[in-house]
Amino acid sequence: MNAPLQHTARFGLRSFRAKFVLVVGSAVLFDLLVSGGLALWNVQRLSRDATAEVGQGLERANQDYIRSYAEGTAARVNLLLDQVHSDVGTLAGVLQAQIDHPARETQIGEAMARGAPEAVTVAYDAKGRWAQNRPGPLSVVSVWGYLLDSNHVPRPDVQREIENSAVLDLIVPSLLANGRSKLQMYYIGPRERPIFRTAPYTDQAQTFDRLYPGHNEADFWTFFFPGLYESWQQWAQDPGSRPVSDSITQTAPYTDAITGKLIVSFFQPLRSSDGKRVAGAAGADITLDQLAEIVENVKVADHGFGFLTMSDGNVVAINPVGEKVIGLQTSSAGNSEGVTGLDRSLRRSVQPQIAQLPLDQDGLLQHIMLDENGEKVPYLVVVKHLQPTNLWLSGPVRRETMSLGIVVPEREIYASLFAAQAKISEATNRILIYQILALLVSLLFVIAAVFAISKRITGGISALAGAAKRIQAQDYSVRVAIPTRDEVGEAGAAFNRMAEQISFHTENLEQLVEDRTQEIEEANLQISALNTQLRSENVRLGAELAVARRIQMMVLPKAHELEEIRDMEIAAYMRPADEVGGDYYDVLSDGGRLKIGIGDVTGHGLESGVLMLMVQSVARALQEAGDMDPSQFLNRVNRAIYKNVVRTSTNKHLSLAFLDYEGGRLTLSGQHEELIVVRNFGEVERIDTLDLGLPIGLEPDISPFVATREISFGHGDMIILHTDGVTEAENRDGELFGIERLCESARQLYGRSAEDVKLGIIKDLMVHIGTQKIHDDITLVVMRHR
């Protein structure tokens, strides 16, 4: 044997060392560049993620702040309205108590007439043709011309109304001095005598003559508040007709005839003692300034502002700066009844996104762009609904939900976000510079290391290359000596062992080929014998399955048996998923009694089919023995099947339900799929059987769980029985046929014969399945009362 081969590695352009340096150096360089690039990319991604996360957090916080601010401001507006409602309700309560107690009302009216005659004595004004008390008392009472008699004095019933309403002088001073500031509080009589008593005292009738010519000749309620009195009268007849359950009715902002200010009026209707008619109203006015003060003092960031709007978009409160920012156009709006309001609608804003702002979504926060000096500036807008009220606006009272809006520039609310993003960007750039420097240093170190170790690694490989050439020249005595203990050294040792094996196999090749050939021939003979045995077994199993399927189909009810049933039509369909199915249905007849069963054995195939035959046999035997009681019948079937399941050591069981029909009564027992009943006009009823039994074959005694349920089954009614192979059939998208689709198919086919309904449902089912494989047995039974 030759001495171990030694080889010295040389460094040339075509040498392995040069290639090693080139390949390894390039690979390491590529790895560093990729890893460094990934690191840089990850830093940038981390920066983006951090910026996004911080941005989302700050954005949520700022948005939550704006929403909270809007909710707090809305609560203040609601509180103001609640306080006014409370004061009006207090006044209305006193006046209503007088109406409900006529004797006390008369006594108080007479006492007020004696104690303060100036409050109930009115003087006729020939020019205006109305009567009014003179200045001095706490309240002014105006009596319109058509409430005076021919002597220009109030009719007796009107005079009583004047005297009884003087109680206002006792109550209103305290209400005006406390709670929310109110411009005035008043009482207006019913339609047949609508005197107008207002506190504090003003030149009431004189002002009305000046602003509303002709009002003294017309019905007060119809002239000033058309539709309002009629709505209240409807509430008296039907309290549930109120748009909002509260009785307080609020007007839209309008110009007050007496003070000339924009006001909002609040009324509470009074009812007659019998509760069937409107007996006037108590009311109060507040200036729009009180609502506007809350809204106009909204201050979010540096330039954020608020506005208060009706549901139709009419803005009733906003500061001048905000009005300009959102592009509102103001104009006066009046109507023929003499009430003049302020028209300042969002829908006519010169800013398109303000004109399209949705007001029907409570808490809506929206990003919008507003035009400022030719530049698009982003803003945030949040809209918060106030509590709903009954609103009158020239017609029937309707439900109104005013909205509070908060508008703030995004550059101000997100100032902290922009600052945080700038800091994150600065830190990211610094990290990127440090990462690039570290990458360059790593490259220099790797290049030096590759050159240093290339000589040690490639020396052994060169020796292996020389030895391989000698093996190629059929010199099997060659061996290599590689002193290193790394993988190259292990390769040298493996090479030496391989050379020894090549030498051995070369010398003994013919004997090895002969032995291997004999082993292959023996293996082929064994495979041929096994194939023959397998074919025989397949033929036998196929024959057994065919017999089992034939037996299974033989025991199903025959068509002539079903046709002999007098009271109902029955049509059935069963299709196993395999050669032998696990579904069960049967129709057992005993004179005028019928027992219709349906069940589903777990799984399908031979074992399931055998268990189905067991159930059919036991049910038939019990029926022949006259054992037809629903509960006892099902329990005895279970005992027999349970014992067979234990004996055969199978883990099968089945759901099973029976319908017993006798003398027009239909009784359901047992647990199975839902039973579907279709009645007159296609009405569908689904009956759950979960509480009527327990799966058969699980427990030796299920009598505690068996229950029955009577089912109405009249002329023309139709019942659908099915197994889960119908409802769980899938189309190519994996969508189930489902109980709803089955019910709809049955409803559409209602009125046809049982056979037509069966065929129609099966057609719909097969169209749904299409070319998909049927994975479970399908059984359908249709029963129709003749």
Side-chain angles (χ1 to χ4, degrees):
M1 184 178 289
N2 293 350
L5 182 65
Q6 301 288 339
H7 192 277
T8 302
R10 297 179 179 178
F11 191 85
L13 293 178
R14 295 187 178 182
S15 66
F16 179 76
R17 184 183 178 191
K19 295 177 181 178
F20 174 82
V21 171
L22 178 62
V23 173
V24 175
S26 299
V28 174
L29 178 62
F30 176 77
D31 180 67
L32 283 174
L33 289 175
V34 170
S35 60
L38 286 174
L40 295 175
W41 179 79
N42 281 328
V43 169
Q44 290 179 323
R45 181 178 179 182
L46 178 62
S47 172
R48 289 195 303 270
D49 291 347
T51 302
E53 192 67 28
V54 170
Q56 291 174 2
L58 289 174
E59 185 174 3
R60 283 194 298 269
N62 286 323
Q63 291 178 1
D64 289 344
Y65 165 72
I66 294 175
R67 287 193 178 96
S68 298
Y69 194 101
E71 289 173 358
T73 306
R76 292 176 59 198
V77 176
N78 284 331
L79 179 59
L80 183 150
L81 298 177
D82 286 343
Q83 289 175 329
V84 177
H85 285 196
S86 176
D87 290 342
V88 174
T90 300
L91 176 59
V94 172
L95 296 172
Q96 187 64 57
Q98 285 192 262
I99 296 172
D100 294 339
H101 301 86
R104 187 174 67 184
E105 180 182 33
T106 302
Q107 293 170 359
I108 294 176
E110 292 174 350
M112 290 298 297
R114 290 193 302 269
E118 67 280 2
V120 298
T121 302
V122 295
Y124 180 67
D125 184 287
K127 180 180 179 181
R129 290 181 293 175
W130 39 257
Q132 185 170 284
N133 62 340
R134 301 187 183 279
L138 295 174
S139 62
V140 55
V141 58
S142 300
V143 184
W144 319 117
Y146 66 91
L147 300 179
L148 304 175
D149 62 15
S150 58
N151 297 319
H152 306 305
V153 297
R155 303 194 311 256
D157 60 329
V158 175
Q159 183 60 38
R160 284 194 302 273
E161 194 76 30
I162 296 170
E163 294 175 0
N164 293 338
S165 66
V167 72
L168 198 76
D169 289 5
L170 299 177
I171 304 302
V172 169
S174 177
L175 294 177
L176 289 173
N178 297 283
R180 283 288 179 177
S181 174
K182 293 167 284 294
L183 187 64
Q184 54 194 10
M185 299 189 75
Y186 43 81
Y187 163 77
I188 306 176
R191 166 159 284 170
E192 57 271 17
R193 47 185 183 279
I195 69 164
F196 197 170
R197 183 180 289 275
T198 305
Y201 191 97
T202 59
D203 291 334
Q204 184 169 258
Q206 296 91 327
T207 304
F208 278 20
D209 280 348
R210 185 176 68 254
L211 295 179
Y212 309 120
H215 77 92
N216 193 28
E217 305 298 330
D219 176 74
F220 176 88
W221 285 107
T222 302
F223 185 89
F224 287 103
F225 302 103
L228 177 59
Y229 201 89
E230 289 78 4
S231 294
W232 289 345
Q233 190 63 45
Q234 183 181 0
W235 296 1
Q237 302 296 327
D238 179 16
S241 65
R242 291 176 295 183
V244 176
S245 59
D246 189 8
S247 295
I248 297 290
T249 302
Q250 171 185 329
T251 69
Y254 66 95
T255 303
D256 179 44
I258 298 174
T259 63
K261 296 182 178 180
L262 279 173
I263 64 169
V264 177
S265 295
F266 298 85
F267 296 105
Q268 177 160 330
L270 305 173
R271 68 181 187 281
S272 60
S273 57
D274 60 6
K276 296 182 179 180
R277 294 176 293 103
V278 179
D285 295 338
I286 66 169
T287 64
L288 193 60
D289 295 343
Q290 292 173 256
L291 286 172
E293 181 182 0
I294 297 175
V295 177
E296 292 175 1
N297 287 336
V298 167
K299 187 69 173 178
V300 183
D302 292 332
H303 297 90
F305 58 90
F307 63 86
L308 185 64
T309 177
M310 308 293 287
S311 60
D312 61 1
N314 190 27
V315 177
V316 299
I318 189 172
N319 64 37
V321 174
E323 183 175 354
K324 180 179 179 181
V325 170
I326 63 176
L328 295 184
Q329 302 182 81
T330 303
S331 64
S332 295
N335 57 47
S336 60
E337 288 75 23
V339 177
T340 303
L342 181 66
D343 183 13
R344 188 167 51 185
S345 177
L346 293 174
R347 303 306 173 215
R348 293 189 294 101
S349 169
V350 298
Q351 299 282 3
Q353 294 195 9
I354 291 294
Q356 300 171 6
L357 191 68
L359 300 176
D360 57 346
Q361 301 179 35
D362 190 22
L364 172 68
L365 191 147
Q366 188 171 352
H367 298 267
I368 63 172
M369 302 294 290
L370 300 182
D371 187 14
E372 293 184 1
N373 300 321
E375 179 185 358
K376 294 294 184 181
V377 179
Y379 278 79
L380 278 180
V381 179
V382 63
V383 176
K384 180 64 183 175
H385 288 174
L386 302 184
Q387 61 191 14
T389 60
N390 293 309
L391 178 75
W392 173 83
L393 182 61
S394 187
V397 176
R398 60 179 173 84
R399 181 186 179 93
E400 169 65 20
T401 303
M402 291 194 294
S403 299
L404 173 73
I406 302 294
V407 183
V408 60
E410 286 193 13
R411 63 176 177 270
E412 294 180 2
I413 200 67
Y414 292 148
S416 58
L417 169 61
F418 298 151
Q421 289 175 337
K423 288 293 184 182
I424 292 174
S425 178
E426 181 182 342
T428 300
N429 293 334
R430 186 167 56 252
I431 293 173
L432 288 175
I433 293 173
Y434 292 159
Q435 190 71 26
I436 291 173
L437 292 176
L439 181 61
L440 293 176
V441 172
S442 298
L443 286 175
L444 293 175
F445 176 78
V446 167
I447 292 172
V450 168
F451 274 98
I453 64 174
S454 63
K455 182 177 180 180
R456 175 179 177 84
I457 293 176
T458 59
I461 295 176
S462 297
L464 286 172
K469 289 180 180 180
R470 290 178 61 180
I471 289 288
Q472 185 180 13
Q474 299 183 354
D475 180 5
Y476 303 121
S477 62
V478 65
R479 303 291 184 270
V480 294
I482 300 177
T484 59
R485 297 182 180 181
D486 54 14
E487 287 81 357
V488 178
E490 293 176 359
F495 181 88
N496 292 335
R497 290 193 297 273
M498 181 183 65
E500 292 176 358
Q501 291 174 0
I502 291 173
S503 178
F504 172 77
H505 284 291
T506 301
E507 296 171 358
N508 300 279
L509 180 59
E510 292 182 0
Q511 183 62 41
L512 290 173
V513 170
E514 183 179 347
D515 294 342
R516 189 65 65 194
T517 301
Q518 184 177 356
E519 292 175 359
I520 292 174
E521 290 177 352
E522 292 175 354
N524 284 334
L525 291 174
Q526 293 178 0
I527 292 172
S528 179
L530 289 173
N531 283 335
T532 301
Q533 182 180 356
L534 182 59
R535 282 195 297 272
S536 299
E537 186 68 17
N538 284 339
V539 171
R540 183 185 65 80
L541 288 176
E544 290 179 357
L545 289 173
V547 171
R549 176 180 175 85
R550 182 178 178 82
I551 293 172
Q552 185 180 41
M553 301 306 291
M554 287 172 61
V555 299
L556 295 177
K558 299 299 184 289
H560 68 85
E561 296 179 43
L562 301 180
E563 291 172 357
E564 292 174 358
I565 299 173
R566 183 176 56 189
D567 291 347
M568 67 178 73
E569 301 175 15
I570 300 179
Y573 174 89
M574 188 172 83
R575 174 174 176 173
D578 290 333
E579 289 85 351
V580 181
D583 281 1
Y584 161 79
Y585 84 89
D586 204 353
V587 180
L588 305 174
S589 176
D590 182 14
R593 294 186 298 177
L594 288 177
K595 187 177 284 287
I596 301 97
I598 187 164
D600 185 2
V601 182
T602 54
H604 42 84
L606 186 57
E607 282 190 5
S608 299
V610 170
L611 187 56
M612 173 267 192
L613 290 173
M614 292 181 189
V615 173
Q616 196 277 340
S617 299
V618 172
R620 171 66 73 178
L622 290 173
Q623 184 260 349
E624 291 296 329
D627 190 354
M628 297 292 279
D629 177 75
S631 299
Q632 294 297 330
F633 188 91
L634 198 63
N635 194 39
R636 290 189 173 100
V637 170
N638 176 72
R639 284 206 302 270
I641 296 302
Y642 178 79
K643 291 176 181 178
N644 280 353
V645 168
V646 172
R647 173 175 287 180
T648 57
S649 299
T650 182
N651 61 350
K652 300 287 185 180
H653 59 274
L654 73 153
S655 63
L656 182 62
F658 286 100
L659 277 169
D660 288 84
Y661 179 81
E662 181 178 8
R665 294 179 57 196
L666 195 63
T667 305
L668 174 64
S669 61
Q671 184 187 99
H672 187 60
E673 302 295 323
E674 291 186 39
L675 181 128
I676 301 171
V677 184
V678 187
R679 306 192 190 280
N680 290 335
F681 309 111
E683 177 187 351
V684 177
E685 179 183 1
R686 291 164 52 181
I687 300 176
D688 193 356
T689 64
L690 185 64
D691 297 330
L692 301 181
L694 201 69
I696 303 300
L698 283 180
E699 297 290 336
D701 182 12
I702 64 171
S703 57
F705 305 99
V706 177
T708 62
R709 175 173 175 176
E710 296 292 330
I711 299 176
S712 174
F713 191 47
H715 176 70
D717 289 353
M718 183 171 67
I719 291 179
I720 309 295
L721 303 175
H722 65 95
T723 60
D724 61 2
V726 175
T727 54
E728 295 179 5
E730 296 181 356
N731 61 14
R732 63 180 182 179
D733 297 325
E735 181 184 4
L736 302 182
F737 187 70
I739 187 69
E740 290 81 6
R741 192 177 275 108
L742 176 58
C743 291
E744 179 60 20
S745 181
R747 189 185 69 78
Q748 294 287 346
L749 295 167
Y750 175 75
R752 303 185 186 180
S753 68
E755 180 67 20
D756 289 343
V757 172
K758 178 199 75 175
L759 294 176
I761 292 176
I762 294 302
K763 178 181 178 182
D764 291 344
L765 178 63
M766 293 308 167
V767 169
H768 176 80
I769 296 173
T771 59
Q772 290 295 105
K773 175 178 173 58
I774 297 177
H775 300 287
D776 199 1
D777 306 328
I778 295 174
T779 299
L780 180 72
V781 179
V782 179
M783 303 164 50
R784 181 178 178 273
H785 200 292
R786 295 184 188 274

